[in-house]
Amino acid sequence: MTETRESLPDLAAMAAFGARIAEQLRAGDVVALTGGLGAGKTTLARAILAALGHDGEVPSPTFTIIETYDSPPLRIAVVHADFYRLESPSELDEIGLDDYREGAVLLAEWPDHAGGFGHEAGCLSITLEPVGEVGEGGRIAIARGAADWLGRMP
């Protein structure tokens, strides 16, 4: 597994990081976003979606659990999921996550609540850690790429 670290001092750096991730995405990939509340998971997901061609609002899927974005207009279809409210990974069957993922990229917030995705070859795990007070000093992004991310790391 390959690991990189990147300083994200502001929203412009977050947007640029999201754009670099978006350039490398393929159908079937998972971008697993971890970090505490307010760490910037949804902000990074929004940056990735914008770089893929989405120009509208990107609501947080905290309550809907899943939001989908089609291709076109995006370069590739995306499923943006927030698993924070799941009580058990078995709830994924009820939601029908596998059906949504067909031919799409999964942006997964709180992936541990869904049982994790690190075992998948196309998983890019990104941990966002605040620097100083949340929202004050930016973030550090720690990206870990599984086998399919060799040579594609952002």
Side-chain angles (χ1 to χ4, degrees):
M1 184 172 285
T2 304
E3 180 177 302
T4 62
R5 291 176 174 260
E6 178 142 356
S7 176
L8 304 173
D10 53 31
L11 288 175
M14 183 78 81
F17 186 58
R20 288 196 310 279
I21 293 168
E23 287 174 11
Q24 300 299 324
L25 289 173
R26 303 178 193 156
D29 282 344
V30 176
V31 179
L33 302 170
T34 61
L37 291 171
K41 297 177 295 296
T42 301
T43 301
L44 182 54
R46 287 177 175 139
I48 293 167
L49 285 162
L52 289 171
H54 184 72
D55 62 0
E57 285 191 41
V58 176
S60 172
T62 300
F63 294 103
T64 59
I65 301 178
I66 290 177
E67 293 285 337
T68 60
Y69 299 87
D70 296 328
S71 171
L74 272 60
R75 179 179 69 77
I76 191 167
V78 174
V79 176
H80 181 197
D82 184 330
F83 299 120
Y84 183 77
R85 296 182 334 130
L86 293 187
E87 293 182 18
S88 166
S90 65
E91 292 179 63
L92 293 176
D93 291 335
E94 295 171 31
I95 295 169
L97 181 64
D98 288 340
D99 295 332
Y100 286 107
R101 288 185 62 186
E102 185 80 25
V105 168
L106 173 62
L107 303 179
E109 298 185 39
W110 300 96
D112 54 320
H113 290 224
F117 298 92
H119 62 282
E120 295 187 23
C123 184
L124 175 64
S125 297
I126 299 174
T127 301
L128 295 169
E129 296 181 351
V131 176
E133 294 294 317
V134 175
E136 301 279 327
R139 281 124 183 86
I140 297 291
I142 303 163
R144 295 176 185 93
D148 284 356
W149 279 90
L150 289 176
R152 291 196 291 151
M153 288 295 287

